[in-house]
Amino acid sequence: MSTKTKSLLFAAFFIFLNLNISAQRIDSIDVLHYNLNLKFQNFSAKKMSGVAYLTCQSKFFGLNRFLLDLQKLKVDSILLNYKSVSFSTSDSTILVQTETTLNANDTFNLQVYYAGSPVTDPRWGGFFFSGNYAYNMGVGMGSSPPNFGRCWFPCLDNFVDRATYEFHITTDSGFMAVCSGLQWPATNNPDGSITWNWHLSQSIPTYIANVAISKYVLINSSYVGLQRNIPITLAVNPADSAKAISSFVRLANAMKCFEDKFGPYLFDRVGFVGVPFNSGAMEHACNISYPLYAVDGASTYETLMAHELSHHWWGNLVTTRTASDMWLNEGWASYCEALFLECVYGINDYNTKIESELFDALRNAAVRDQGYKSVSGVPLAQTYGTHVYTKGGLMVHNLRLLMGDANFFAACKSYLNLYKFKDVSSNDLKNEFQKFTSTDLTSFFNSFIFDKGHLDAQFSSALATDGKFLVRGNIMSRYKSNFSDKLVLHCGVYAKDGTKKVYPYTVSAPKSAGPIEFAIPNIDTNKVAFVVLNENSGMALGSISEQKWLKTNGVNNFSKVQFTATVLANGDSSLLHVQHHYARPWIAENQLPKNVIVSSERYWEIKGILTNEFKATAFFNYDGTLNTRLDNELITFSEDSLVLLYRPSSMDAFEIESDLTFQTGPSKTDKVGRFWVNNLKKGEYVFGYKDASAGINPEININNTLLVFPNPSVTGKFNVTLPILDKTARLEVYSNNGSLILTKNVKRNLSSLEIDLGVENNSQFYYLILITGDKQYKATLLNK
């Protein structure tokens, strides 16, 4: 049927809906059931055809038009209640004219006849033809919205519209279609083709509906679940059968782990289908698309298996309402990789996984995601980024520690049962989990979920007092505005023989950067060699630790903490412990040399049990390039003024280290180089920037080039009059102790800027630097 001519009003309405589809679209119908009758034959043509039968329900009174999603496939005709209706199409939508008015809750049938070549997403996902395979990957990571059911059938392509499914897929002889749900008997057609019939009785959003076609055989088994025997199907080509059995040898372990922790598996079956996709897997309901490279006959990719399986609780059973809350799907599934390792291999493997994820988040999240992002509320471009997957999983780890295992897993079961087959937000999760703990989770969510950046626990001192071992430290932050009221910190106390005991403590954290302390009883202080705060096994905060027993001379690379030491002399064996903090060190008043700005990005803490003969050199490499985001805020132009500072402990003042070799890269402006320390010592090392005109001193005169008013400021609010800017600039605001408390990008041609530091900031004064190209403008703001 050809498209009928529409009125100008109808066309204008269609354009309006399309302009608002990603941001403001409100669908006027629900789809209750999809019945997809599709032909996939002659793969070389890379085409499909068929009819989609949709059972729908109107949401409004007086409905006479509605939208469906379909990506670049040609619609031949549409029938509503078996009568032809008018429609119009764009690249991604169909606007259907009902001809007769529908009222709220009216149920109607829709038949959409269509054909064409289904598309792939430019970044990840879509529909693929590859050799003897045809299959969909339900997410389009480069598309808006990222749901990508629309690439192969007409639908409401969002996270909130759920429906049940039938699949009737016709293939050439010798091929098999495997879909979501349970298999019904196949139909042998007169022309030699075969129609494969599947039915899914649970309601799901469109992006996790699946079809995969190849010369499959099914490896069938079952799992004795909490409520029933659950069918298990592995679909692979015959040549991969033996490898599949070996690769999924711990699938039953994963099922037991997740049912024990989260409650019963509620879908028709457990299914994995092998596909030649080289960029990961996809959690399609009952039929996980699993890359052939992971069907390797070994357990190499078993955490990938666990990740995708866990989505049947986190993402399929309960689904995020919006793409910006994708951590509710992917962060939790990423966490389930570590949980699977704990269930199967023990707590040490769990901790190792968490440590690995923490390194990835601290080192790479801001690089890959183009800056620091919150876990919830991520921009569309970072929907499937490192903050969502890796940091999101770490925040689940933090929540578990804060609540304790019994409360945490009881909350998981309650939440999943309450919202089963529904969509949710982060606040829904927070509110349900709050029922299972007396700790106020609002503070935790505001800090760890809704705010960007991270907190860092820094050891300060330990001393014996009143029969107890009093441990003191400081909480610092990186790009964070909100501080959680409670933190679970693990204190590692190392004895002089190298043994360690870990003491977990829940501490009341300050509302901003500041001190913490707690007492550990029954410690023989004479045996204590050193103390490490939150050494990789506590809450995932802003540091990574690595240690080695050094028994011979030579180069030792501490890759986790981006540090290299070369042992020149040792005597016997020494334990060298390095903690890399991704935050500024705590600095009290008068602990910095004049005219030095200290890095707010990172520093190293060196501890250990070293022999008297121990001597080593060490490299501290700096990298201010944007592709690393390690030192790019400190190094704004030339490297000439860079320095390395050292202090024996946080109780001491920093001094510029002079016993070293300073090696810039090929250029003094490429922001890459190293400090080669000739004699490594216990203590703290941090990069700094020496500038004779930039000393942080309350008596510095205000630079009239950068006018600040009112000055002094009573409320923390002030205005900055800007010089003429022909390019984007950056404004940095430092407190009187040298802490970078605000960084703000300033657009070109802007004449003034309003800043609000908040009334809680209690610095005696603030030091401002405006950086544009190779120029800097400075001012001092007094605070009353």
Side-chain angles (χ1 to χ4, degrees), residues 164-165 167 180-182 198-202 204 267-268 285-286:
T164 54
Y165 283 80
F167 306 89
S180 299
L182 292 173
W198 297 80
H199 180 269
L200 178 68
S201 56
Q202 294 79 39
I204 59 170
F267 286 88
D268 284 334
C286 305

Side-chain angles (χ1 to χ4, degrees), residues 320-428:
T320 177
R321 188 167 299 140
T322 63
S324 64
D325 251 345
M326 187 54 67
W327 83 282
L328 294 171
N329 292 13
E330 296 298 348
W332 280 82
S334 295
Y335 176 75
C336 286
E337 297 178 35
L339 185 62
F340 162 78
L341 294 174
E342 179 184 355
C343 290
V344 176
Y345 300 107
I347 193 63
N348 287 339
D349 285 68
Y350 170 91
N351 285 334
T352 298
K353 178 66 172 176
I354 293 297
E355 292 166 13
S356 174
E357 298 296 280
L358 180 57
F359 173 83
D360 188 37
L362 292 174
R363 177 63 185 83
N364 299 315
V367 178
R368 295 174 185 154
D369 293 348
Q370 300 179 6
Y372 290 90
K373 304 290 189 294
S374 59
V375 169
S376 172
V378 293
L380 182 64
Q382 283 77 44
T383 300
Y384 296 94
T386 305
H387 283 89
V388 166
Y389 279 76
T390 308
K391 188 179 178 184
L394 292 170
M395 297 308 99
V396 178
H397 163 80
N398 285 356
L399 182 60
R400 176 184 174 183
L401 281 182
L402 188 67
M403 295 181 66
D405 277 12
N407 293 338
F408 174 79
F409 288 114
C412 288
K413 291 177 181 177
S414 179
Y415 164 83
L416 292 168
N417 182 62
L418 177 65
Y419 290 109
K420 60 188 176 186
F421 304 112
K422 296 178 182 178
D423 53 271
V424 291
S425 69
S426 290
N427 278 319
D428 291 328

